[in-house]
Amino acid sequence: MREKMSGRILLVDDEREIADLIETFLQNEQFQCFKYHTFQEAFLAASRECFDLAIIDIMLPDGDGFVLCREIRKKHTYPIILLTSKTEGADRVTGLSLGADDYVTKPFLPIELVARVKAHLRRVHDYDGKENGSNEIVTIAGLLLNKTSHECKLDGERIRLTPTEFSILWLLCKNRGKVYSADELFQIIWGEKYFKNSRNTVMVQIRHIREKLNDISEKPKFIKTIWGVGYIVE
């Protein structure tokens, strides 16, 4: 039986035919799609409404999708997928640096985009307590992770992590002492085959986590880099 999910999706793309096509595929999967074609419309919607995930085209007629991504990240942690017709790795890194979780290059298959939407929402759902009845908690040197509530605290202070950031930190902390290569992290967290730009994707997410934990010294307390091998929480 085909998987069915629900959720409120913010869709921003000035190419109306593409937006309409994405909307149709999302609605066929029972998602509520809130479609906008300009930066200003989407910015106001993101400021006033609650969403479960956002799909944002980088090139908008009256603004920049990167800016919209950054503004959303100031208040919300729901997954963000960026759309672009550009293929430069720098754009991918820029988007991820601003808090995006994923990046899809045009042209793409709508069914592939929907699959990514489901994967990100499934990751959120896995940590909202609806499917996991156990209260899984990991504590390391003042850091507390609660898998059920998707809560991260450092010395009693709550740290806001995106679902992707939480997934990476949980995996490393839960398997304390095990080194994960960028390849392994990408395939486990994103559920996709590793490709040449994946290392940058993982590096950016690791950097975000370190910044939020205020752990960006040459000798980090939590996520350590084993050069030429990967990442570990000891």
Side-chain angles (χ1 to χ4, degrees), residues 95-106:
L96 293 170
S97 297
L98 294 172
D101 296 272
D102 207 348
Y103 193 99
V104 177
T105 303
K106 296 178 179 179

Side-chain angles (χ1 to χ4, degrees), residues 15-30:
E15 296 185 69
R16 294 176 183 269
E17 289 186 1
I18 293 178
D20 291 345
L21 183 61
I22 294 173
E23 178 184 39
T24 297
F25 272 78
L26 289 172
Q27 289 178 340
N28 285 343
E29 296 296 325
Q30 299 183 353

Side-chain angles (χ1 to χ4, degrees), residues 77-97:
T77 60
Y78 54 74
I80 297 175
I81 300 175
L82 295 180
L83 303 179
T84 182
S85 57
K86 297 183 178 181
T87 58
E88 290 84 354
D91 285 328
R92 183 185 184 95
V93 173
T94 298
L96 293 170
S97 297

Side-chain angles (χ1 to χ4, degrees), residues 130-189:
K130 293 179 181 178
E131 292 185 345
N132 189 345
S134 62
N135 191 34
E136 294 192 61
I137 294 176
V138 171
T139 57
I140 299 175
L143 177 67
L144 181 147
L145 294 176
N146 187 320
K147 185 177 180 182
T148 301
S149 62
H150 190 208
E151 185 177 38
C152 174
K153 288 185 177 181
L154 180 60
D155 297 327
E157 181 179 350
R158 184 164 186 174
I159 307 297
R160 287 166 54 91
L161 298 178
T162 67
T164 300
E165 292 164 355
F166 186 93
S167 296
I168 292 172
L169 187 57
W170 172 265
L171 179 67
L172 292 173
C173 289
K174 183 68 174 179
N175 298 280
R176 186 176 182 179
K178 175 178 172 59
V179 180
Y180 284 89
S181 67
D183 186 333
E184 290 174 314
L185 284 174
F186 189 84
Q187 293 192 48
I188 293 172
I189 302 301

